[in-house]
């Protein structure tokens, strides 16, 4: 356990340009997700002794969204190792949980909508089924009772991941102060109360901000930066003009410049 925590701590020190989480935040988030996963795993072990139903991939997907897929890959491998140790050092569980977590983490890169979480959970489930088939073929034969029981548990695992990830993500965003692309999409909604007030108080400034947002997004995407972040910032960059919109030339409509 100490080596796992040390490995995560060393990994989060490497800077990633596409991550908004500081190394301290990334490490604290990893500790929280690991502890929650292991506690849930201990509870589940009293009802389902194999551990295949434990949604370890949920932690990997959440970590990939909040911190980045590269860090999440190591996190997923270490989480799977700790979970397998919790279940009598089960190498089959290590293979399946690790494969599902890493696959889910890498399939969620650049998430822009809630359906991306669904797609990541489906990818993790499919990879889990393949890994389960590989683990069973190593010691047994397919199409036996064991095979169908394990496949059912993997499907249940994917369903739990599909339900848990969208529900937990907003709480982690607020707890650690990390702004994800999904949260930026909510800010970019033109029906947002603040943007609607800007449209009524300073319509010309509002139109200018929308146009600038499109330009900023195109420029940011061209150089590999976060275009969505640039667009949302442009939407709000002149929000202070609502206080005295007539002081700014675009809202004067040919009147005298006061």
């Amino acid at each position: 356990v100490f080596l796992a925590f040390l490995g995560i701590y060393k990994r989060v020190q490497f800077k990633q340009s596409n991550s908004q989480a500081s190394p301290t935040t990334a490490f604290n988030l990893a500790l929280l997700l690991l502890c929650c996963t292991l506690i849930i795993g201990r509870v589940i072990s009293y009802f389902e002794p194999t551990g295949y139903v434990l949604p370890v991939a949920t932690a990997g997907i959440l970590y990939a969204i909040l911190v980045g897929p590269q860090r999440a890959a190591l996190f997923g491998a270490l989480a799977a190792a700790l979970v397998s140790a919790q279940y009598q050092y089960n190498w089959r569980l290590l293979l399946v949980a690790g494969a599902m977590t890493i696959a889910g983490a890498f399939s969620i890169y650049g998430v822009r909508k809630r359906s991306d979480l669904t797609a990541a959970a489906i990818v993790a489930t499919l990879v889990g089924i393949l890994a389960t088939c590989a683990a069973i073929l190593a010691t047994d034969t397919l199409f036996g009772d064991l095979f169908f029981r394990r496949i059912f548990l993997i499907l249940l695992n994917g369903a739990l991941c599909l339900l848990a990830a969208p529900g937990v993500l907003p709480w982690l965003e607020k707890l650690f102060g990390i702004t994800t692309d999904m949260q930026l999409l909510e800010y970019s909604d033109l029906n947002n109360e603040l943007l609607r007030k800007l449209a009524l108080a300073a319509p010309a400034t509002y139109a200018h901000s929308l146009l600038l947002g499109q330009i900023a997004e195109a420029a940011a995407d061209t150089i590999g930066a976060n275009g969505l972040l640039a667009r949302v910032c442009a939407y709000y960059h002149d929000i202070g003009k609502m206080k005295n919109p007539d002081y700014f030339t675009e809202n004067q409509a040919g009147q005298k410049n006061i």
Side-chain angles (χ1 to χ4, degrees), residues 15 41 47 69 73 86 96 105 108 145 181 192 197 203 205 207 224 236:
K15 294 182 179 179
F47 305 96
Q86 194 176 41
V96 174
I108 201 66
D145 292 340
D181 283 351
N192 180 290
K197 288 182 178 179
T205 298
Y236 292 89

Side-chain angles (χ1 to χ4, degrees), residues 23-95:
T24 301
T25 300
F27 182 65
N28 291 336
L29 176 61
L31 291 183
L32 176 62
L33 290 175
L34 272 178
C35 290
C36 290
T37 301
L38 294 175
I39 291 172
I40 295 173
R42 175 56 62 193
V43 174
I44 289 179
S45 66
Y46 295 115
F47 305 96
E48 201 286 304
T50 66
Y52 282 89
V53 77
L54 177 62
V56 186
T58 302
I61 291 172
L62 291 171
Y63 200 72
I65 295 173
L66 295 167
V67 176
Q70 295 177 350
R71 291 173 174 173
L74 176 64
F75 169 83
L78 294 176
L82 293 177
V83 168
S84 68
Q86 194 176 41
Y87 285 84
Q88 294 77 46
Y89 298 94
N90 189 335
W91 68 268
R92 300 173 185 83
L93 180 59
L94 171 63
L95 173 66

Side-chain angles (χ1 to χ4, degrees), residues 115-129:
S115 60
D116 291 337
L117 287 170
T118 303
I122 293 175
V123 169
T125 304
L126 294 177
V127 171
I129 292 174

Side-chain angles (χ1 to χ4, degrees), residues 60-255:
I61 291 172
L62 291 171
Y63 200 72
I65 295 173
L66 295 167
V67 176
Q70 295 177 350
R71 291 173 174 173
L74 176 64
F75 169 83
L78 294 176
L82 293 177
V83 168
S84 68
Q86 194 176 41
Y87 285 84
Q88 294 77 46
Y89 298 94
N90 189 335
W91 68 268
R92 300 173 185 83
L93 180 59
L94 171 63
L95 173 66
V96 174
M100 291 183 68
T101 306
I102 294 174
F106 277 114
S107 64
I108 201 66
Y109 182 77
V111 58
R112 287 291 185 94
K113 49 187 180 296
R114 299 288 173 182
S115 60
D116 291 337
L117 287 170
T118 303
I122 293 175
V123 169
T125 304
L126 294 177
V127 171
I129 292 174
L130 292 176
T132 301
C133 292
I136 292 177
L137 280 173
T139 55
D140 207 335
T141 181
L142 294 180
F143 306 115
D145 292 340
L146 177 65
F147 171 76
F148 291 108
R149 185 163 58 250
R150 293 280 168 83
I151 294 299
F152 172 75
L153 292 176
I154 294 298
L155 292 174
L156 183 58
N157 187 324
L160 292 174
C161 180
L162 183 62
L163 295 174
V168 175
L169 180 60
W171 297 98
L172 293 178
E173 288 175 341
K174 294 179 180 179
L175 180 62
F176 290 93
I178 300 175
T179 303
T180 63
D181 283 351
M182 298 173 69
Q183 197 169 359
L184 289 173
L185 286 171
E186 296 176 359
Y187 293 149
S188 69
D189 184 4
L190 299 182
N191 288 321
N192 180 290
E193 182 180 0
L194 191 57
L195 289 178
R196 282 194 283 111
K197 288 182 178 179
L198 178 64
L200 294 175
T205 298
Y206 174 77
H208 155 73
S209 297
L210 296 185
L211 177 60
L212 185 62
Q214 301 302 319
I215 297 173
E217 183 175 29
D221 288 339
T222 300
I223 63 173
N226 190 333
L228 177 60
L229 178 61
R231 173 159 61 89
V232 173
C233 288
Y235 284 175
Y236 292 89
H237 84 285
D238 267 346
I239 208 73
K241 291 184 178 180
M242 285 195 304
K243 187 173 183 180
N244 291 300
D246 293 338
Y247 282 16
F248 302 93
T249 182
E250 69 267 22
N251 299 313
Q252 289 168 359
Q255 301 175 0

